[in-house]
Each structure stands twice: as structure tokens, then as C-alpha cells.
Amino acid sequence: PRPSEAPSEPDPITETPPLVPVEIPKPDMAFSGPSEPPSGLSDDVPLFPDATTLGSMTSPTRGTIVNLNSPEPADAIFAWYLDELAKRGWTLDKQSTTTFSHLVTATKDARRATILIKTGPAGTAILITVAQASGG
């Protein structure tokens, strides 16, 4: 086509796609592998006995996240955490249970611990998050 007969639709090749923000791990995060003990987790945060550590992450802004797996049933793990957290001086704030998961939130010394226990195809997943409690 001659220049005056340019197509009215924009050329898809020259269109710039919108930029989507991508979260890049910050250098202040420390990751631990499966065989390593979780870094940054204080002694008053219990790890379920017989659970396998799948990995963990520590960040000053997000706290410590630990991913565990256990062959034990979720109900037993949930009951153990309720008992163990109370023994270690945590205040149990919230507990909820559904068919496939249990959640407990506890606070101690301006920290908040959240423990999610989920039944999965390969056993029971345990996700522990400990961070500074937000004010309010």
C-alpha cells in the first residue's frame, strides 16, 4: 500500500504491552533449604515433632515463614499447636477449622504467629508465619 493508505488499526508488533509489577526477592531476605533449620525463628515458636522442613524464608519486613510437612493428621497437629503455643506463653487470639484446614493466630511480645495446617495429598502441610504485630 502507498503511504497515504496506511492501515487504520495499530500494528500489533509495535504496541508496547502494559508493564506488570513483578516482585523480585529483596536482598534482605534469607532462604533456607529443606535440610537446614529455619533461620530467624525464635525458640518460643514450636516446630511440630516429626515434621519435615520443606523450606523457610526470613525478611525484616515480612518476618519468618516456615513450610513443614507431616504424616500426622491435621486435627492432631492443630491440637498440639494450641497446647504448645499456650505452654510457651503465646496468647491464642483466633482459631478456625474447615474440612481441610485449621488456622490459629497467636500473639506474644509484639509478635504475631499464624499457623495454617492443611490436609493435602502428601500428608499435612504446616505453614508458620511469625512477624511483628501491626499496631491497632
Side-chain angles (χ1 to χ4, degrees), residues 11 17 29 36 48 53-54 65 78 89 91 95 102 110 115 126:
D11 183 355
M29 291 184 186
E36 300 174 56
F48 188 72
T53 302
L54 301 177
I65 300 169
F78 182 60
T91 301
Q95 297 117 48
H102 301 280
I115 298 156
I126 306 164

Side-chain angles (χ1 to χ4, degrees), residues 23 25-30 57-65 129-134:
E23 187 158 327
K26 310 244 182 327
D28 65 351
M29 291 184 186
M57 179 195 92
T58 303
S59 159
T61 53
R62 294 175 190 228
T64 301
I65 300 169
T129 306
V130 182
Q132 290 301 310
S134 51

Side-chain angles (χ1 to χ4, degrees), residues 4-29:
S4 62
E5 295 173 12
S8 60
E9 292 190 28
D11 183 355
I13 297 171
T14 60
E15 285 287 299
T16 306
L19 293 177
V20 178
V22 175
E23 187 158 327
I24 297 167
K26 310 244 182 327
D28 65 351
M29 291 184 186

Side-chain angles (χ1 to χ4, degrees), residues 19-90:
L19 293 177
V20 178
V22 175
E23 187 158 327
I24 297 167
K26 310 244 182 327
D28 65 351
M29 291 184 186
F31 294 90
S32 299
S35 61
E36 300 174 56
S39 61
L41 200 63
S42 57
D43 292 339
D44 63 354
V45 179
L47 296 179
F48 188 72
D50 300 332
T52 304
T53 302
L54 301 177
S56 65
M57 179 195 92
T58 303
S59 159
T61 53
R62 294 175 190 228
T64 301
I65 300 169
V66 183
N67 194 354
L68 306 167
N69 197 35
S70 173
E72 297 296 318
D75 292 344
I77 296 170
F78 182 60
W80 184 86
Y81 268 103
L82 293 177
D83 187 49
E84 200 62 32
L85 286 167
K87 279 185 194 172
R88 295 180 189 219
W90 288 85

